[in-house]
Coordinates of all heavy atoms in Angstrom, one line a residue:
M1 N -9.7 -14.2 -7.2 CA -9.1 -13.5 -6.0 C -9.5 -12.1 -6.0 O -9.9 -11.5 -7.0 CB -7.6 -13.6 -6.1 CG -7.0 -12.8 -7.2 SD -5.2 -13.1 -7.5 CE -4.5 -11.9 -6.5
A2 N -9.6 -11.5 -4.8 CA -9.9 -10.1 -4.7 C -8.7 -9.3 -4.1 O -7.9 -9.9 -3.4 CB -11.1 -9.9 -3.7
I3 N -8.6 -8.1 -4.6 CA -7.5 -7.3 -4.1 C -8.0 -6.1 -3.4 O -8.9 -5.4 -3.9 CB -6.6 -6.8 -5.3 CG1 -6.2 -8.0 -6.1 CG2 -5.4 -6.0 -4.8 CD1 -5.9 -7.7 -7.6
H4 N -7.6 -5.9 -2.2 CA -8.1 -4.8 -1.4 C -6.9 -3.8 -1.1 O -5.8 -4.2 -0.7 CB -8.6 -5.3 0.0 CG -9.7 -6.3 -0.2 ND1 -11.0 -6.0 -0.6 CD2 -9.7 -7.7 0.0 CE1 -11.7 -7.1 -0.6 NE2 -10.9 -8.1 -0.3
Y5 N -7.2 -2.6 -1.4 CA -6.3 -1.5 -1.1 C -6.7 -0.8 0.2 O -7.8 -0.4 0.3 CB -6.2 -0.5 -2.3 CG -5.6 -1.0 -3.5 CD1 -6.4 -1.7 -4.5 CD2 -4.3 -0.8 -3.8 CE1 -5.8 -2.2 -5.6 CE2 -3.7 -1.3 -5.0 CZ -4.5 -2.0 -5.9 OH -4.0 -2.5 -7.0
V6 N -5.8 -0.8 1.1 CA -6.0 -0.2 2.4 C -5.0 0.9 2.7 O -3.8 0.6 2.5 CB -6.0 -1.3 3.5 CG1 -6.2 -0.7 4.9 CG2 -7.1 -2.3 3.2
C7 N -5.4 2.0 3.2 CA -4.5 3.1 3.6 C -3.6 2.6 4.7 O -4.1 2.1 5.7 CB -5.2 4.3 4.0 SG -4.1 5.6 4.5
R8 N -2.3 2.7 4.5 CA -1.4 2.3 5.5 C -1.3 3.2 6.8 O -0.8 2.8 7.8 CB 0.0 2.1 5.0 CG 0.6 3.4 4.5 CD 1.9 3.2 3.7 NE 3.0 2.7 4.7 CZ 4.2 2.4 4.3 NH1 4.5 2.4 3.0 NH2 5.1 2.0 5.1
H9 N -1.9 4.4 6.6 CA -1.8 5.4 7.7 C -3.0 5.4 8.5 O -3.0 5.4 9.8 CB -1.5 6.8 7.1 CG -0.2 6.8 6.4 ND1 1.0 6.9 7.0 CD2 0.1 6.9 5.1 CE1 2.0 6.9 6.1 NE2 1.4 6.9 4.9
C10 N -4.2 5.4 7.9 CA -5.4 5.5 8.7 C -6.3 4.2 8.6 O -7.3 4.1 9.3 CB -6.2 6.7 8.3 SG -6.9 6.6 6.6
G11 N -5.9 3.3 7.7 CA -6.7 2.0 7.6 C -7.9 2.1 6.8 O -8.7 1.1 6.7
T12 N -8.2 3.2 6.2 CA -9.3 3.3 5.3 C -9.2 2.4 4.1 O -8.2 2.3 3.5 CB -9.5 4.8 4.8 OG1 -9.7 5.6 5.9 CG2 -10.6 4.9 3.8
A13 N -10.3 1.7 3.7 CA -10.4 0.9 2.5 C -10.4 1.9 1.3 O -11.4 2.6 1.2 CB -11.5 0.0 2.5
V14 N -9.4 1.9 0.5 CA -9.3 2.8 -0.6 C -10.1 2.2 -1.8 O -10.7 3.0 -2.6 CB -7.8 3.0 -1.0 CG1 -7.7 4.0 -2.2 CG2 -7.1 3.6 0.2
G15 N -10.1 0.9 -2.0 CA -10.8 0.3 -3.1 C -10.5 -1.1 -3.1 O -9.6 -1.7 -2.4
S16 N -11.2 -1.8 -4.0 CA -10.9 -3.2 -4.2 C -11.1 -3.6 -5.6 O -11.9 -3.0 -6.4 CB -11.7 -4.1 -3.3 OG -13.0 -3.9 -3.5
L17 N -10.5 -4.7 -6.1 CA -10.6 -5.2 -7.4 C -10.9 -6.7 -7.3 O -10.5 -7.4 -6.4 CB -9.2 -5.1 -8.1 CG -8.7 -3.7 -8.4 CD1 -7.3 -3.8 -9.0 CD2 -9.6 -3.0 -9.4
K18 N -11.6 -7.2 -8.3 CA -11.8 -8.6 -8.4 C -11.4 -9.1 -9.8 O -12.0 -8.7 -10.8 CB -13.3 -9.0 -8.2 CG -13.6 -9.2 -6.7 CD -14.9 -9.8 -6.5 CE -15.1 -10.0 -5.0 NZ -16.5 -10.3 -4.7
Q19 N -10.3 -9.8 -9.8 CA -9.8 -10.3 -11.1 C -9.3 -11.7 -10.9 O -8.7 -12.0 -9.8 CB -8.6 -9.5 -11.6 CG -9.1 -8.1 -12.2 CD -7.9 -7.3 -12.7 OE1 -7.5 -6.4 -12.1 NE2 -7.3 -7.8 -13.8
P20 N -9.5 -12.6 -11.8 CA -9.1 -14.0 -11.7 C -7.5 -14.1 -11.6 O -7.0 -14.8 -10.8 CB -9.6 -14.7 -12.9 CG -9.9 -13.6 -13.9 CD -10.2 -12.4 -13.1
V21 N -6.9 -13.3 -12.4 CA -5.4 -13.4 -12.4 C -4.9 -11.9 -12.5 O -5.3 -11.2 -13.3 CB -4.9 -14.2 -13.7 CG1 -3.4 -14.2 -13.7 CG2 -5.4 -15.6 -13.7
V22 N -4.0 -11.7 -11.6 CA -3.4 -10.3 -11.6 C -1.9 -10.4 -11.5 O -1.4 -11.2 -10.6 CB -3.9 -9.5 -10.4 CG1 -3.3 -8.1 -10.4 CG2 -5.4 -9.4 -10.5
S23 N -1.2 -9.8 -12.4 CA 0.2 -9.8 -12.3 C 0.7 -8.7 -11.3 O 0.0 -7.8 -11.1 CB 0.8 -9.6 -13.7 OG 0.7 -8.2 -14.0
S24 N 1.9 -8.9 -10.9 CA 2.4 -7.9 -9.9 C 2.6 -6.6 -10.6 O 2.5 -5.5 -10.0 CB 3.8 -8.4 -9.3 OG 4.7 -8.7 -10.3
R25 N 2.8 -6.6 -11.9 CA 2.9 -5.3 -12.7 C 1.6 -4.6 -12.6 O 1.5 -3.4 -12.4 CB 3.3 -5.6 -14.1 CG 3.4 -4.4 -15.0 CD 4.1 -4.6 -16.3 NE 5.5 -5.0 -16.2 CZ 6.5 -4.1 -16.1 NH1 6.1 -2.8 -16.2 NH2 7.7 -4.4 -16.0
Q26 N 0.5 -5.3 -12.7 CA -0.8 -4.6 -12.7 C -1.1 -4.0 -11.3 O -1.8 -3.0 -11.1 CB -2.0 -5.6 -13.0 CG -2.1 -5.9 -14.5 CD -3.1 -6.9 -14.8 OE1 -2.9 -8.1 -14.4 NE2 -4.2 -6.5 -15.4
L27 N -0.6 -4.7 -10.3 CA -0.8 -4.2 -8.9 C 0.1 -3.0 -8.6 O -0.1 -2.4 -7.6 CB -0.4 -5.3 -7.9 CG -1.3 -6.6 -8.0 CD1 -0.8 -7.6 -7.0 CD2 -2.8 -6.2 -7.8
G28 N 1.1 -2.8 -9.5 CA 2.0 -1.7 -9.2 C 3.1 -2.0 -8.2 O 3.7 -1.1 -7.6
I29 N 3.3 -3.3 -8.0 CA 4.2 -3.7 -6.9 C 5.5 -4.3 -7.6 O 6.4 -4.7 -6.9 CB 3.7 -4.7 -5.9 CG1 3.2 -6.0 -6.6 CG2 2.5 -4.1 -5.1 CD1 2.7 -7.1 -5.7
H30 N 5.6 -4.3 -8.9 CA 6.7 -4.9 -9.5 C 8.0 -4.1 -9.3 O 9.1 -4.7 -9.4 CB 6.5 -5.0 -11.1 CG 6.3 -3.7 -11.7 ND1 5.1 -3.0 -11.6 CD2 7.1 -2.9 -12.4 CE1 5.2 -1.9 -12.3 NE2 6.4 -1.8 -12.8
A31 N 7.8 -2.8 -8.9 CA 9.0 -2.0 -8.7 C 9.5 -2.0 -7.3 O 10.5 -1.5 -7.0 CB 8.7 -0.5 -9.1
L32 N 8.8 -2.7 -6.4 CA 9.2 -2.8 -5.0 C 10.3 -3.8 -4.8 O 10.4 -4.7 -5.5 CB 8.0 -3.2 -4.2 CG 6.7 -2.3 -4.2 CD1 5.6 -2.9 -3.4 CD2 7.1 -0.9 -3.8
T33 N 11.0 -3.5 -3.7 CA 12.0 -4.5 -3.3 C 11.3 -5.6 -2.6 O 10.1 -5.5 -2.3 CB 13.0 -3.9 -2.3 OG1 12.4 -3.6 -1.1 CG2 13.7 -2.6 -2.9
E34 N 12.0 -6.7 -2.4 CA 11.4 -7.9 -1.7 C 10.9 -7.5 -0.4 O 9.8 -7.9 0.1 CB 12.4 -9.0 -1.7 CG 11.8 -10.3 -1.3 CD 10.8 -10.8 -2.4 OE1 10.9 -10.5 -3.5 OE2 9.9 -11.6 -2.0
D35 N 11.7 -6.7 0.4 CA 11.3 -6.3 1.7 C 10.0 -5.5 1.7 O 9.1 -5.6 2.5 CB 12.4 -5.5 2.4 CG 13.5 -6.4 2.9 OD1 13.3 -7.6 2.9 OD2 14.6 -5.9 3.2
E36 N 9.9 -4.5 0.7 CA 8.8 -3.7 0.6 C 7.5 -4.5 0.3 O 6.4 -4.2 0.8 CB 9.0 -2.6 -0.4 CG 9.9 -1.5 0.0 CD 10.3 -0.6 -1.1 OE1 10.3 -1.0 -2.3 OE2 10.6 0.6 -0.8
R37 N 7.7 -5.5 -0.6 CA 6.6 -6.3 -1.0 C 6.1 -7.1 0.2 O 4.9 -7.2 0.4 CB 7.1 -7.2 -2.1 CG 6.0 -7.7 -3.1 CD 6.6 -8.5 -4.2 NE 7.5 -7.7 -5.0 CZ 8.0 -8.1 -6.2 NH1 7.7 -9.3 -6.6 NH2 8.8 -7.4 -6.9
I38 N 6.9 -7.6 1.0 CA 6.5 -8.4 2.1 C 5.7 -7.5 3.1 O 4.7 -7.9 3.7 CB 7.8 -9.0 2.8 CG1 8.3 -10.1 2.0 CG2 7.4 -9.5 4.2 CD1 9.7 -10.6 2.4
E39 N 6.2 -6.3 3.2 CA 5.6 -5.3 4.2 C 4.2 -4.8 3.6 O 3.3 -4.7 4.4 CB 6.5 -4.2 4.4 CG 5.9 -3.2 5.4 CD 6.8 -1.9 5.6 OE1 8.0 -2.0 5.4 OE2 6.2 -0.9 5.8
M40 N 4.1 -4.6 2.4 CA 3.0 -3.9 1.8 C 1.9 -4.8 1.3 O 0.8 -4.4 1.1 CB 3.4 -2.9 0.7 CG 4.2 -1.8 1.2 SD 4.8 -0.7 -0.2 CE 3.3 -0.1 -0.8
V41 N 2.3 -6.0 0.9 CA 1.4 -6.9 0.2 C 1.1 -8.1 1.1 O 2.1 -8.8 1.5 CB 1.9 -7.4 -1.1 CG1 0.9 -8.2 -1.9 CG2 2.3 -6.2 -2.0
Q42 N -0.1 -8.3 1.5 CA -0.4 -9.5 2.4 C -1.4 -10.4 1.7 O -2.4 -9.9 1.2 CB -1.0 -9.0 3.7 CG 0.1 -8.3 4.5 CD -0.4 -7.4 5.6 OE1 -1.6 -7.3 5.8 NE2 0.5 -6.9 6.4
Y43 N -1.2 -11.7 1.8 CA -2.1 -12.7 1.2 C -2.8 -13.4 2.3 O -2.2 -13.8 3.3 CB -1.3 -13.7 0.4 CG -0.5 -13.1 -0.8 CD1 0.7 -12.6 -0.6 CD2 -1.1 -13.0 -2.1 CE1 1.4 -12.0 -1.7 CE2 -0.4 -12.5 -3.1 CZ 0.9 -12.0 -2.9 OH 1.5 -11.4 -4.0
D44 N -4.1 -13.6 2.2 CA -4.8 -14.4 3.2 C -5.0 -15.8 2.7 O -4.6 -16.2 1.6 CB -6.1 -13.7 3.7 CG -7.2 -13.8 2.6 OD1 -7.0 -14.6 1.6 OD2 -8.2 -13.1 2.7
S45 N -5.6 -16.6 3.6 CA -5.6 -18.1 3.3 C -6.5 -18.4 2.1 O -6.5 -19.4 1.5 CB -6.1 -18.8 4.5 OG -7.3 -18.3 4.9
E46 N -7.4 -17.4 1.7 CA -8.3 -17.6 0.6 C -7.7 -17.1 -0.7 O -8.4 -17.1 -1.7 CB -9.7 -17.0 0.9 CG -10.4 -17.6 2.0 CD -11.6 -16.8 2.5 OE1 -12.0 -15.9 1.8 OE2 -12.2 -17.2 3.5
G47 N -6.5 -16.6 -0.7 CA -5.9 -16.1 -1.9 C -6.2 -14.6 -2.2 O -5.9 -14.1 -3.2
N48 N -6.9 -14.0 -1.2 CA -7.1 -12.5 -1.4 C -5.9 -11.8 -1.0 O -5.1 -12.2 -0.2 CB -8.3 -12.1 -0.5 CG -9.6 -12.8 -0.9 OD1 -9.9 -12.9 -2.1 ND2 -10.3 -13.3 0.0
V49 N -5.8 -10.6 -1.6 CA -4.6 -9.8 -1.4 C -4.9 -8.5 -0.8 O -5.9 -7.8 -1.2 CB -3.9 -9.6 -2.8 CG1 -2.5 -8.8 -2.5 CG2 -3.6 -10.9 -3.5
T50 N -4.2 -8.1 0.2 CA -4.4 -6.7 0.8 C -3.1 -5.9 0.5 O -2.0 -6.4 0.8 CB -4.6 -6.8 2.3 OG1 -5.8 -7.5 2.5 CG2 -4.8 -5.4 2.9
I51 N -3.3 -4.8 -0.1 CA -2.1 -4.0 -0.5 C -2.2 -2.7 0.3 O -3.2 -2.0 0.3 CB -2.1 -3.7 -2.0 CG1 -1.9 -5.0 -2.7 CG2 -0.9 -2.7 -2.3 CD1 -1.9 -4.8 -4.2
K52 N -1.2 -2.4 1.0 CA -1.2 -1.1 1.8 C -0.8 0.0 0.8 O 0.3 0.0 0.2 CB -0.2 -1.2 2.9 CG -0.7 -2.2 4.0 CD 0.1 -2.1 5.2 CE -0.4 -3.2 6.2 NZ 0.7 -3.5 7.2
T53 N -1.6 1.0 0.8 CA -1.4 2.1 -0.1 C -1.6 3.4 0.8 O -1.6 3.3 2.0 CB -2.2 2.0 -1.3 OG1 -1.9 3.1 -2.2 CG2 -3.7 2.0 -1.0
I54 N -2.0 4.5 0.1 CA -2.2 5.7 0.9 C -3.5 6.3 0.3 O -3.7 6.3 -0.9 CB -1.0 6.6 0.8 CG1 -1.3 7.9 1.7 CG2 -0.7 7.0 -0.6 CD1 0.0 8.7 1.9
C55 N -4.4 6.8 1.2 CA -5.6 7.4 0.7 C -5.4 8.8 0.4 O -4.4 9.4 0.7 CB -6.7 7.2 1.7 SG -6.5 8.2 3.2
E56 N -6.4 9.4 -0.3 CA -6.2 10.8 -0.7 C -6.1 11.8 0.5 O -5.3 12.7 0.4 CB -7.5 11.2 -1.5 CG -7.4 10.6 -2.9 CD -8.6 11.1 -3.7 OE1 -9.3 12.0 -3.3 OE2 -8.9 10.5 -4.8
D57 N -6.8 11.5 1.6 CA -6.7 12.4 2.7 C -5.3 12.4 3.3 O -4.7 13.4 3.6 CB -7.7 11.9 3.8 CG -9.1 12.3 3.4 OD1 -9.3 13.0 2.5 OD2 -10.0 11.8 4.1
C58 N -4.7 11.2 3.5 CA -3.4 11.1 4.1 C -2.4 11.6 3.1 O -1.4 12.3 3.5 CB -3.1 9.7 4.4 SG -4.1 9.0 5.8
E59 N -2.5 11.4 1.8 CA -1.6 11.9 0.8 C -1.5 13.4 0.9 O -0.5 14.0 0.9 CB -2.0 11.4 -0.6 CG -0.9 11.7 -1.6 CD -1.2 11.1 -2.9 OE1 -2.4 10.8 -3.2 OE2 -0.3 10.9 -3.7
E60 N -2.7 14.0 1.0 CA -2.8 15.4 1.1 C -2.1 16.0 2.3 O -1.3 16.9 2.3 CB -4.3 15.8 1.1 CG -4.5 17.3 0.6 CD -6.0 17.6 0.6 OE1 -6.8 16.9 -0.1 OE2 -6.4 18.5 1.3
S61 N -2.4 15.4 3.5 CA -1.7 15.9 4.7 C -0.2 15.6 4.7 O 0.5 16.4 5.3 CB -2.4 15.2 5.9 OG -2.3 13.9 5.9
L62 N 0.2 14.5 4.0 CA 1.6 14.3 4.0 C 2.3 15.3 3.1 O 3.5 15.6 3.3 CB 1.9 12.8 3.5 CG 1.5 11.7 4.5 CD1 1.7 10.4 3.8 CD2 2.3 11.9 5.7
Q63 N 1.6 15.7 2.0 CA 2.2 16.7 1.2 C 2.4 18.0 1.9 O 3.3 18.8 1.6 CB 1.3 16.9 -0.1 CG 1.6 15.8 -1.1 CD 0.6 15.8 -2.2 OE1 -0.4 16.6 -2.2 NE2 0.8 15.0 -3.2
R64 N 1.4 18.3 2.8 CA 1.6 19.5 3.6 C 2.6 19.4 4.7 O 3.2 20.3 5.2 CB 0.2 19.9 4.3 CG -0.8 20.5 3.3 CD -1.9 21.2 4.0 NE -2.6 20.2 4.8 CZ -3.8 19.7 4.5 NH1 -4.3 20.0 3.3 NH2 -4.4 18.8 5.3
N65 N 2.9 18.1 5.1 CA 3.8 17.9 6.2 C 4.9 16.8 5.8 O 4.8 15.7 6.2 CB 3.1 17.4 7.4 CG 2.0 18.3 7.9 OD1 2.3 19.4 8.4 ND2 0.8 17.9 7.7
P66 N 5.8 17.2 4.9 CA 6.8 16.2 4.4 C 7.6 15.6 5.5 O 8.0 14.5 5.3 CB 7.6 17.1 3.4 CG 7.3 18.5 3.7 CD 6.0 18.5 4.3
D67 N 7.8 16.3 6.6 CA 8.6 15.7 7.7 C 7.9 14.5 8.3 O 8.5 13.5 8.6 CB 8.8 16.8 8.8 CG 9.8 17.9 8.3 OD1 10.4 17.7 7.3 OD2 9.8 18.9 9.0
F68 N 6.6 14.6 8.3 CA 5.8 13.5 8.9 C 6.0 12.3 8.0 O 6.1 11.2 8.5 CB 4.3 13.9 9.0 CG 3.4 12.8 9.4 CD1 3.5 12.3 10.7 CD2 2.5 12.3 8.5 CE1 2.6 11.2 11.1 CE2 1.7 11.2 8.9 CZ 1.7 10.7 10.1
H69 N 6.0 12.5 6.8 CA 6.1 11.4 5.8 C 7.4 10.6 6.1 O 7.5 9.4 6.1 CB 6.0 11.9 4.4 CG 6.0 10.8 3.4 ND1 7.2 10.5 2.7 CD2 5.1 9.9 3.0 CE1 6.9 9.4 1.8 NE2 5.6 9.1 2.0
E70 N 8.5 11.4 6.2 CA 9.8 10.9 6.5 C 9.8 10.0 7.8 O 10.3 9.0 7.8 CB 10.8 12.0 6.6 CG 12.1 11.8 5.9 CD 12.9 13.0 5.8 OE1 13.4 13.5 6.8 OE2 13.0 13.6 4.7
Y71 N 9.2 10.6 8.8 CA 9.2 10.0 10.1 C 8.4 8.6 10.0 O 8.9 7.6 10.4 CB 8.4 10.9 11.1 CG 8.3 10.3 12.4 CD1 9.3 10.2 13.3 CD2 7.0 9.9 12.9 CE1 9.2 9.7 14.6 CE2 6.8 9.4 14.1 CZ 7.9 9.3 15.0 OH 7.7 8.8 16.2
D72 N 7.3 8.7 9.3 CA 6.5 7.5 9.2 C 7.2 6.4 8.4 O 7.1 5.2 8.7 CB 5.1 7.8 8.5 CG 4.2 6.7 8.4 OD1 3.7 6.3 9.5 OD2 4.1 6.1 7.3
Y73 N 7.9 6.9 7.4 CA 8.7 5.9 6.6 C 9.7 5.2 7.4 O 9.8 4.0 7.3 CB 9.3 6.6 5.4 CG 10.1 5.7 4.5 CD1 9.5 4.9 3.5 CD2 11.5 5.6 4.6 CE1 10.2 4.1 2.7 CE2 12.2 4.8 3.8 CZ 11.6 4.0 2.9 OH 12.3 3.2 2.1
F74 N 10.4 5.9 8.2 CA 11.5 5.3 9.0 C 11.1 4.4 10.1 O 11.8 3.5 10.5 CB 12.5 6.3 9.4 CG 13.4 6.8 8.3 CD1 13.3 8.1 7.8 CD2 14.3 6.0 7.7 CE1 14.1 8.6 6.8 CE2 15.1 6.4 6.7 CZ 15.0 7.7 6.2
I75 N 9.9 4.7 10.7 CA 9.5 3.9 11.8 C 8.9 2.6 11.3 O 8.7 1.6 12.1 CB 8.5 4.5 12.8 CG1 7.2 5.0 12.1 CG2 9.2 5.7 13.5 CD1 6.1 5.4 13.0
H76 N 8.6 2.4 10.0 CA 8.2 1.2 9.5 C 9.4 0.3 9.1 O 9.6 -0.3 8.3 CB 7.2 1.4 8.3 CG 5.9 1.8 8.7 ND1 5.6 3.1 9.0 CD2 4.8 1.1 9.0 CE1 4.3 3.1 9.4 NE2 3.8 1.9 9.4
Ligands
ZN1 ZN1 -5.4 7.4 5.1

């Protein structure tokens, strides 16, 4: 299976991994609630996983604009 990390804000592909078996702990999603997991982690029919994360550019702009981060969080 392949794991693709995509920025949830701008859609940029942040990176991808190819591993035969990956635990949710390795993905960093073990701490998420069930709702967050459903929203952030998507499986396609071939067993590949897309995880919504945040790219460096967006992280930087969100750090400069914490209000925007709050807004974005709540509209999701
Ligand atoms: Zn981004």
